[in-house]
Amino acid sequence: MKLCIDNSRGGRGVFAGAPIRKGECIMAFNGRLIYSDELPEPYESVDDHYVQIGKDSYMGPSGGLDDFVNHSCDPNSGLVITNTRVELVAIRDIKSGEEITWDYSTTMYGDDWKMNCQCNSVYCRHVVGNFIDLPDEIRKKYIQLGVVPSYNL
Ligand SMILES: [Zn+2]
């Protein structure tokens, strides 16, 4: 099994069921395309699973594993967005049993929504917001890894 869901570690997450190599596509995100004026209000980060995929567009929940991939400030994967195709790709080798995470800020643009983060990484920024507000060196790292959508470049 390549991926599994685990509820036991204080919140739901997606975990590697086998080693995953850097550069491998982990999964596609398959939600419905919606526009920003269709987002739920108020927005609940626990129950609402929307990913920004354009300046004004989002991918809604799919009901699948892609809804449960958590944020980390020190992630092991990132989103590669080509038009409306959204794929989660490993940005380093991932061990079996490791939680799969990506940095939500990489896709966020012009969004007033902010999320508090307790990812426990030594790099934790504590608040997750727009890509443009990230420190320069973090922006550069994600751009080099190819996990920043064109509207954030
Ligand atoms: Zn964090």
Side-chain angles (χ1 to χ4, degrees):
M1 186 179 15
K2 192 171 165 191
L3 297 169
C4 49
I5 264 204
D6 188 337
N7 294 304
S8 66
R9 307 187 202 186
R12 189 145 37 171
V14 177
F15 293 79
I20 298 170
R21 289 250 176 102
K22 180 179 178 180
E24 223 182 291
C25 174
I26 300 170
M27 68 173 88
F29 279 34
N30 292 312
R32 187 172 67 90
L33 177 71
I34 67 154
Y35 292 94
S36 48
D37 55 6
E38 302 171 88
L39 283 172
E41 262 187 85
Y43 189 89
E44 283 296 330
S45 58
V46 176
D47 298 320
D48 295 329
H49 306 281
Y50 292 83
V51 176
Q52 192 165 10
I53 60 167
K55 280 189 174 169
D56 197 34
S57 55
Y58 289 76
M59 181 169 273
S62 74
L65 283 179
D66 45 321
D67 292 350
F68 301 106
V69 185
N70 287 318
H71 164 89
S72 170
C73 301
D74 185 21
N76 51 24
S77 62
L79 284 193
V80 176
I81 301 173
T82 318
N83 298 317
T84 57
R85 174 129 189 102
V86 182
E87 289 183 334
L88 189 68
V89 173
I91 58 174
R92 57 175 174 76
D93 290 343
I94 301 171
K95 295 189 193 85
S96 184
E98 240 186 278
E99 181 169 8
I100 310 285
T101 55
W102 60 286
D103 189 329
Y104 290 0
S105 287
T106 54
T107 65
M108 288 174 64
Y109 170 94
D111 199 329
D112 295 332
W113 180 75
K114 286 192 169 45
M115 183 184 84
N116 291 317
C117 183
Q118 297 162 341
C119 68
N120 290 323
S121 154
V122 289
Y123 304 108
C124 187
R125 306 189 300 270
H126 307 291
V127 176
V128 178
N130 292 321
F131 182 71
I132 198 161
D133 296 323
L134 289 175
D136 277 356
E137 66 275 16
I138 298 178
R139 289 210 311 270
K140 275 193 200 128
K141 182 185 90 171
Y142 288 138
I143 289 169
Q144 280 170 358
L145 287 165
V147 292
V148 179
S150 55
Y151 60 84
N152 255 339
L153 293 175

